[in-house]
Amino acid sequence: MMAEIMVHGGMEAVGREMHRAVRAHSADLGKLAGLGLEEFFAMVRNIRYADDESLFATSSVELTPGPQTILRMPAIDCKKKAILMASWAKENGVPFRFVAVCEDGTGIAHHVFVQFPGLLHWKNIDATLPEYRIGDDKPLVTHAWILGE
């Protein structure tokens, strides 16, 4: 499958492309979809992080491929890690949503992760960095947006 490369059209456009990648390609996870949440989360969390800007030398390009392409990459950004986690959720019948956040008070989204429903509220499933854990709070968030399909 060829990866989708798009000129950055804003966070809503990126969110639509992330949902499209999950709808079209979540089954590409194959046997990995059979892993438990904690094991799959740990695998994704341990993939080296690199943002698209450092990978493509521009901030105007977003790459939103399916899991098979993502898993062949040597490093991935938060969006691709979120696509992997959402693909696992889709394949396991777990509802999910993508959330974009700002943590610096500018009102500009700079990070995306997945949430799964919990008993009382949505649970953060952010596998971006090795120190993150399932359900970690996001105390620095100043703005948040749910990215629709």
Side-chain angles (χ1 to χ4, degrees):
M1 156 61 197
M2 190 67 154
E4 295 294 323
I5 299 177
M6 60 179 280
V7 174
H8 198 307
M11 196 47 67
E12 284 97 19
V14 172
R16 283 191 302 274
E17 285 301 308
M18 292 172 70
H19 279 285
R20 183 210 51 78
V22 172
R23 280 192 312 273
H25 303 293
S26 65
D28 290 356
L29 284 178
K31 293 178 184 176
L32 292 174
L35 296 176
L37 173 59
E38 291 192 15
E39 188 176 3
F40 188 78
F41 179 88
M43 182 198 79
V44 172
R45 184 184 60 202
N46 288 325
I47 298 171
R48 190 170 69 83
Y49 172 83
D51 61 25
D52 280 345
E53 188 169 351
S54 65
L55 293 172
F56 299 107
T58 177
S59 61
S60 63
V61 171
E62 290 291 343
L63 182 64
T64 54
Q68 196 172 72
T69 301
I70 292 171
L71 289 168
R72 288 195 305 263
M73 300 173 102
I76 58 177
D77 67 358
C78 61
K79 290 173 290 304
K80 288 168 210 52
K81 288 187 177 217
I83 289 169
L84 289 174
M85 293 309 305
S87 294
W88 180 92
K90 182 175 181 282
E91 291 302 299
N92 285 280
V94 177
F96 69 90
R97 65 185 186 185
F98 291 115
V99 179
V101 298
C102 168
E103 295 178 333
D104 62 10
T106 62
I108 299 170
H110 60 85
H111 182 53
V112 177
F113 55 90
V114 174
Q115 289 183 329
F116 295 173
L119 292 175
L120 300 174
H121 56 82
W122 288 85
K123 200 171 175 178
N124 297 326
I125 311 294
D126 186 354
T128 303
L129 297 175
E131 61 269 18
Y132 290 178
R133 301 290 176 257
I134 293 172
D136 278 354
D137 287 334
K138 298 287 183 186
L140 301 178
V141 169
T142 59
H143 298 80
W145 302 265
I146 297 168
L147 302 178
E149 297 185 44

